[in-house]
Amino acid sequence: MPTINVNRQGRAQGFSSSSFSTARTGNAQTVVDSPGDDQLNVVQYFKSTGRGGGTIRFKRVFLHFDTSSITSTLSAAHIDVNGTLFNTAANPNDTILIKSTAFGGDGGTALATTDFFSSLDYNTPYSSELTLWTTGNNEYTLNSDALADIKNNNDFTVAIISHDHDFLNTEGSGNIADDINIAFGTTITLDYTIAPTGYSNGVYFVASANIGEVNGVATANIDEIIGV
């Protein structure tokens, strides 16, 4: 399975606010472009009830991949992110990948405070909800929208965000601290599989998915076998 390393990565923390909407939709207070070590609580939804309406805060991670070398249809792809330290809880430390235009859209610009919300496309999730975060490898399986964008675009940018509160736009009640830790020093990768092309039938009872060549000829170059 071919692999593409992340081209650019960044993390951002929003302003704390007593308003869920203000905290979610504002610019970032701080950004870290190209972090390269273990980072705690980098994707987060935090809510603390208290005097004056309490405090709400969001944190998000952004990743850019150069996909200009991929022009074929993909049958599958996933993004691997390593966790770190003690953050191993299942729900509610759940996250999701969504489409983003951060880093200037082409990975050539450092992460900006304005990327925090304005670059996000909540209508285009690129994965399903990931409900378990481990200290080892965490794999996001990409959906058909992601596969199409990887094929059709030179740049593929995603944001990792909280699923239950950020993606679903739900404040929740009581005190909440949902977060994950990421080992940015371990390279984040995009692994993909090219969809098979060419002769798509079985040969001598062998399924086409298991055939790479027939008599030394790659299946992609075969239209017929013995006129069939």
Side-chain angles (χ1 to χ4, degrees):
M1 179 177 287
T3 296
I4 295 177
N5 292 339
V6 68
N7 177 62
R8 194 158 203 153
Q9 56 195 17
R11 54 169 296 192
Q13 174 178 313
F15 283 93
S16 297
S17 175
S18 59
S19 163
F20 176 86
S21 178
T22 298
R24 181 172 179 266
T25 63
N27 291 337
Q29 180 180 24
T30 59
V31 297
V32 178
D33 188 66
S34 301
D37 55 2
D38 293 353
Q39 301 272 320
L40 303 180
N41 307 331
V42 289
V43 179
Q44 181 186 75
Y45 175 67
F46 176 85
K47 179 182 179 182
S48 175
T49 59
R51 297 179 181 178
T55 300
I56 294 173
R57 180 176 64 239
F58 290 85
K59 295 181 182 180
R60 300 166 182 141
V61 164
F62 299 84
L63 308 171
H64 172 269
F65 297 87
D66 180 351
T67 53
S68 58
S69 63
I70 303 175
T71 56
S72 301
T73 299
L74 304 185
S75 60
H78 59 262
I79 290 177
D80 292 330
V81 182
N82 262 54
T84 182
L85 299 178
F86 51 82
N87 192 288
T88 59
N91 245 333
N93 297 321
D94 52 342
T95 54
I96 190 171
L97 300 183
I98 67 171
K99 186 174 183 176
S100 172
T101 56
F103 307 111
D106 61 1
T109 304
L111 187 65
T113 57
T114 52
D115 287 334
F116 190 64
F117 179 77
S118 64
S119 77
L120 302 180
D121 182 355
Y122 287 92
N123 293 317
T124 309
Y126 275 153
S127 74
S128 58
E129 174 188 7
L130 188 64
T131 59
L132 177 65
W133 194 259
T134 76
T135 56
N137 181 58
N138 299 278
E139 182 173 292
Y140 293 93
T141 300
L142 301 181
N143 60 25
S144 58
D145 287 334
L147 300 186
D149 283 350
I150 290 171
K151 173 192 174 184
N152 296 327
N153 302 317
N154 292 331
D155 304 284
F156 183 67
T157 307
V158 306
I160 309 176
I161 66 172
S162 160
H163 176 271
D164 287 359
H165 303 285
D166 197 350
F167 179 68
L168 296 182
N169 193 20
T170 303
E171 180 174 345
S173 58
N175 294 315
I176 302 172
D178 299 350
D179 46 60
I180 61 171
N181 307 322
I182 292 179
F184 285 107
T186 300
T187 303
I188 296 171
T189 59
L190 167 62
D191 301 330
Y192 62 93
T193 301
I194 301 294
T197 58
Y199 192 74
S200 59
N201 299 289
V203 178
Y204 293 116
F205 306 105
V206 179
S208 61
N210 299 320
I211 300 174
E213 297 179 347
V214 178
N215 290 338
V217 181
T219 55
N221 298 320
I222 299 174
D223 292 321
E224 298 179 344
I225 293 180
I226 316 178
V228 179

